[in-house]
Amino acid sequence: MRLDRRHFIGGVAAGAALAALPPLPRAAARSYELVAAPARFPLHPRGTAALGFNGTFPGPVLRARQGEPVEITLINRLDEPTTVHWHGIRLPNAMDGVPYLTQDHVPPGGKFVYRFTPPDAGTFWYHPHADSLEQLGRGLMGALIVEEREAPRFDADILLVLKDWVLDDQGRIGSLTSVRAAGRAGTFGNHRTVNGRPTWREVLPAGARARVRIAVTDVTRVFQIRLDGTSGMAHVLATDGNAVANPWPLGTHALGPGMRVDIDLLMPRRAGEELKLVDVSAAEPWTVATFVAAPPAPSVRPEMRPLPQADIPPPARNAMSLPLSFSAGHGEGAVVCSPGKTVPLLWAVNNRVSDGLNTEPLARLRAGQSYVAELANLTPHPHPIHLHGHTFDVLQSNLADAPPRHFADTVLLRPDERVRAAFVAAPGRWLLHCHIIEHQASGMAGFLEVA
Ligand code: C2O
Ligand code: CU
């Protein structure tokens, strides 16, 4: 049973429509094996030497159910140490996958079993947290879908995993960093992909309503997603996995590294019409996905409705303020990003450059206490700020065009933006960092110690 399930998932074309996967039977063993190893991906006619989980890009879609335990065995067949972080999941600190902070590195040839019970339903993902620039940058990642207790029905459930690759004309992965780029917005790829392909296409019945889950797993690019087409409609249903109370029109939606959005997509009423999801983050717009309307069929979801509401603890009245500023660092010395590897110091949190070894916390917090993080971007570059093990209630921004109040595990701070984001502290040592990995690796990181 376990093997069948795993092989079935691993064998599905990476990122294929989830509609093709039947929901898990209630009693299925939610047990998976992830093998991290060198792999070749068809990103280029010559193939691309990369790194992958179970040989695929994206890695296998892991499916769990809200409130039910999962167990994932990581097997390291890389030639360097690794770990896996379950991005956005509120879990016990020891399962969070951060070397030096929550666990030891898993050495080449080693294994580690992660066990946790996801409390929140939604679209999450996983990736290594060791030498992230190389390991995540070269393709080690996958989606983790946590099904709602009562799964909302859609006519289709589609996953789109976005990543930009740095490829040369032979299809080889080029250099993923330079000091110059790391000190600015980062090293951008030249080959945007969706589920590892140049674009995605779905044929859906006219008038159908689809749930489209978009996950940005790139290490640098902030994607700007919008819907082109005259007669369809798209609304934001969930941010970083968690349902929004009042879905809002998609508009142009910014998604930085690590961020996800679930969209309610209403297909045009007439067969033959199409909708396009487009990324306008670069001078040349990129068609992420084309949705073609086939002859109509009765829809299981004729109305737009919010998803079941997230059960994130609300901030208490006595919430304490926690200032967190993100700025340029001092440029002296170097930090360790993995055993034997160092990178320059360019960025800081609260004027402190991360030492990469997480020896001193940014702040000591009390478990169960509510905090309002006062996130301040003091730089002219965007920073998607991720706090492990918690979900922020994003209350407000100083910029007028910010999204309404919503939940997030990764808050995109635009240049000079200030955001107030509440959370209830959970016990443990929780990493906080920019998810532009060159920024994280060169100092924009730290941790909160909650006891
Ligand atoms: Cu998705 Cu610490 O990261
Ligand atoms: Cu950053």
Side-chain angles (χ1 to χ4, degrees):
M1 182 67 193
R2 290 158 70 131
L3 276 182
D4 285 344
R5 182 73 201 163
R6 166 163 38 97
H7 288 163
F8 173 54
I9 288 181
V12 165
L18 294 174
L21 293 177
L24 286 174
R26 286 279 161 186
R30 270 156 290 275
S31 173
Y32 298 96
E33 201 169 273
L34 287 178
V35 180
R40 274 189 95 73
F41 301 139
L43 301 173
H44 184 273
R46 293 180 176 231
T48 297
L51 304 175
F53 285 116
N54 300 6
T56 67
F57 181 83
V61 178
L62 306 186
R63 289 163 72 90
R65 185 174 277 121
Q66 186 175 19
E68 296 183 16
V70 281
E71 176 184 295
I72 303 118
T73 303
L74 165 68
I75 298 174
N76 184 6
R77 297 217 181 103
L78 303 169
D79 59 12
E80 63 174 355
T82 192
T83 59
V84 175
H85 168 59
W86 312 95
H87 183 121
I89 303 284
R90 295 188 294 142
L91 42 52
N93 195 233
M95 295 291 119
D96 196 43
V98 181
Y100 305 115
L101 197 61
T102 70
Q103 71 168 99
D104 290 335
H105 279 104
V106 180
K111 272 191 193 202
F112 189 90
V113 183
Y114 292 93
R115 289 192 185 89
F116 54 90
T117 300
D120 307 310
T123 307
F124 299 92
W125 68 297
Y126 59 90
H127 61 81
H129 224 292
D131 195 8
S132 301
L133 192 58
E134 293 293 325
Q135 294 189 15
L136 174 55
R138 290 176 183 272
L140 281 164
M141 56 71 50
L144 170 58
I145 305 285
V146 183
E147 296 174 356
E148 289 82 3
R149 287 196 181 89
E150 293 302 327
R153 295 181 67 211
F154 285 87
D155 298 310
D157 191 334
I158 296 158
L159 173 65
L160 304 175
V161 172
L162 309 189
K163 177 168 164 60
D164 193 8
W165 300 79
V166 182
L167 294 186
D168 70 11
D169 55 10
Q170 305 294 303
R172 289 176 301 223
I173 296 178
S175 166
L176 298 175
T177 188
S178 68
V179 173
R180 189 187 149 82
R184 293 178 172 72
T187 302
F188 288 82
N190 52 8
H191 190 76
R192 283 172 276 177
T193 58
V194 47
N195 298 336
R197 304 196 197 164
T199 191
W200 196 255
R201 193 179 155 87
E202 290 280 343
V203 179
L204 297 173
R209 203 175 279 283
R211 178 179 189 167
V212 181
R213 307 168 188 258
I214 306 177
V216 171
T217 67
D218 192 48
V219 291
T220 306
R221 183 178 293 277
V222 177
F223 289 81
Q224 302 282 349
I225 304 294
R226 65 161 201 237
L227 185 70
D228 278 2
T230 46
S231 57
M233 257 192 302
H235 285 83
V236 172
L237 285 177
T239 49
D240 287 355
N242 300 285
V244 303
N246 299 300
W248 65 80
L250 180 67
T252 301
H253 190 91
L255 275 182
M259 298 168 71
R260 292 88 63 213
V261 67
D262 285 34
I263 293 169
D264 176 292
L265 183 76
L266 176 63
M267 290 296 289
R269 304 252 161 234
R270 283 224 318 271
E273 288 188 26
E274 23 178 87
L275 297 177
K276 285 181 193 299
L277 277 178
V278 182
D279 165 42
V280 295
S281 66
E284 186 155 340
W286 170 54
T287 301
V288 179
T290 306
F291 300 89
V292 184
S299 173
V300 301
R301 198 177 180 88
E303 306 295 330
M304 215 247 323
R305 290 194 296 277
L307 295 172
Q309 292 303 287
D311 191 17
I312 310 291
R317 287 264 184 81
N318 67 349
M320 292 168 65
S321 163
L322 175 68
L324 290 168
S325 67
F326 302 88
S327 64
H330 318 292
E332 295 287 320
V335 291
V336 181
C337 67
S338 176
K341 295 194 181 181
T342 56
V343 291
L345 304 177
L346 301 165
W347 300 102
V349 183
N350 287 355
N351 291 315
R352 267 204 7 228
V353 173
S354 162
D355 59 5
L357 297 168
N358 301 310
T359 45
E360 267 301 302
L362 287 164
R364 292 193 160 86
L365 311 185
R366 270 211 343 258
Q369 167 73 41
S370 292
Y371 292 88
V372 176
E374 317 273 353
L375 306 166
N377 180 356
L378 310 182
T379 82
H381 301 290
H383 301 289
I385 301 301
H386 175 43
L387 174 60
H388 284 213
H390 292 79
T391 301
F392 285 120
D393 184 344
V394 183
L395 305 172
Q396 63 187 199
S397 159
N398 67 327
L399 299 185
D401 58 346
R405 183 170 174 177
H406 63 283
F407 292 117
D409 52 60
T410 307
V411 177
L412 180 63
L413 298 178
R414 292 169 291 166
D416 302 313
E417 189 169 13
R418 288 163 189 268
V419 168
R420 303 181 71 237
F423 65 99
V424 180
R429 304 166 90 203
W430 301 106
L431 204 65
L432 172 90
H433 63 88
C434 180
H435 222 290
I436 291 177
I437 304 298
E438 284 167 285
H439 293 174
Q440 173 195 357
S442 58
M444 196 176 276
F447 73 96
L448 303 178
E449 185 157 299
V450 183

